[in-house]
Amino acid sequence: MTDLDRDDLVTAIRSAIASAPNPGAAMTQAVRLLKDAIPYYSWVGIYLLDGNELVLGPFEGKPSPHTHIPLGRGICGAAAAEKATIIVDDVNADPRYLACSLDTKSEIVVPIMKGGDVLGEIDIDSDRLAAFNSDDRELLEHVAALVAQKVSSKMRKTVTP
């Protein structure tokens, strides 16, 4: 994917998130656009932080047995606990990996953050070894920031009297 294609994808995701009626619709659109645009993204999902666990939200790909992941468990739990993006080139070589599919070879997990708080994360699997690079990191961190704005603004609206 060229830089121009990525710019178009970010523009499409920004527009879809801005026009979505609620955070759930915004996340669903972001997941769908990412999965449709990048062929080596075999599974794309968003987990939201609920207390001390990540709960699976919208996703595209095969169903995952991991609908609830405790903080610190697996690559997803590690990324949330560390508040940092994690790229794993070979999931079979990483003892933290929670197997979802025998086809998965690599994974990237990007926290969705507002300030210093983790709201959730974008989790993407690929059937290719070492599928993810700095371009994917940059793209997904940008998308995570867009999702965070929608999720946190809605949260403030529901909490504020």
Side-chain angles (χ1 to χ4, degrees):
M1 177 174 270
T2 67
D3 287 341
L4 182 58
D5 293 338
R6 286 192 189 260
D7 290 344
D8 289 345
L9 177 57
V10 169
T11 299
I13 292 171
R14 179 183 294 114
S15 176
I17 288 173
S19 64
N22 57 58
M27 291 183 291
T28 297
Q29 290 288 9
V31 164
R32 182 185 56 78
L33 288 166
L34 286 167
K35 176 78 166 69
D36 289 349
I38 304 179
Y40 59 92
Y41 287 11
S42 55
W43 191 92
V44 179
I46 293 180
Y47 285 89
L48 293 174
L49 188 61
D50 183 10
N52 287 323
E53 70 177 1
L54 296 159
V55 179
L56 182 59
F59 70 92
E60 290 279 330
K62 296 176 185 174
S64 172
H66 304 289
T67 58
H68 291 76
I69 301 173
L71 279 181
R73 185 162 181 255
I75 296 164
C76 288
E82 296 170 18
K83 299 181 179 184
T85 297
I86 295 177
I87 296 175
V88 178
D89 289 337
D90 181 356
V91 296
N92 292 315
D94 193 317
R96 300 173 295 182
Y97 179 64
L98 300 175
C100 296
S101 167
L102 295 176
D103 296 329
T104 299
K105 304 287 188 248
S106 58
E107 182 175 20
I108 183 170
V109 182
V110 178
I112 299 168
M113 309 238 340
K114 187 67 173 183
D117 297 327
V118 174
L119 304 175
E121 61 194 19
I122 299 171
D123 178 22
I124 300 181
D125 296 346
S126 179
D127 295 347
R128 298 181 189 174
L129 283 170
F132 307 107
N133 59 32
S134 60
D135 290 341
D136 295 290
R137 175 191 295 263
E138 183 179 321
L139 168 68
L140 296 170
E141 287 177 350
H142 192 103
V143 172
L146 294 171
V147 170
Q149 291 172 356
K150 187 73 169 195
V151 171
S152 63
S153 68
K154 182 63 176 178
M155 290 168 69
R156 281 195 303 272
K157 287 178 187 169
T158 58
V159 172
T160 305

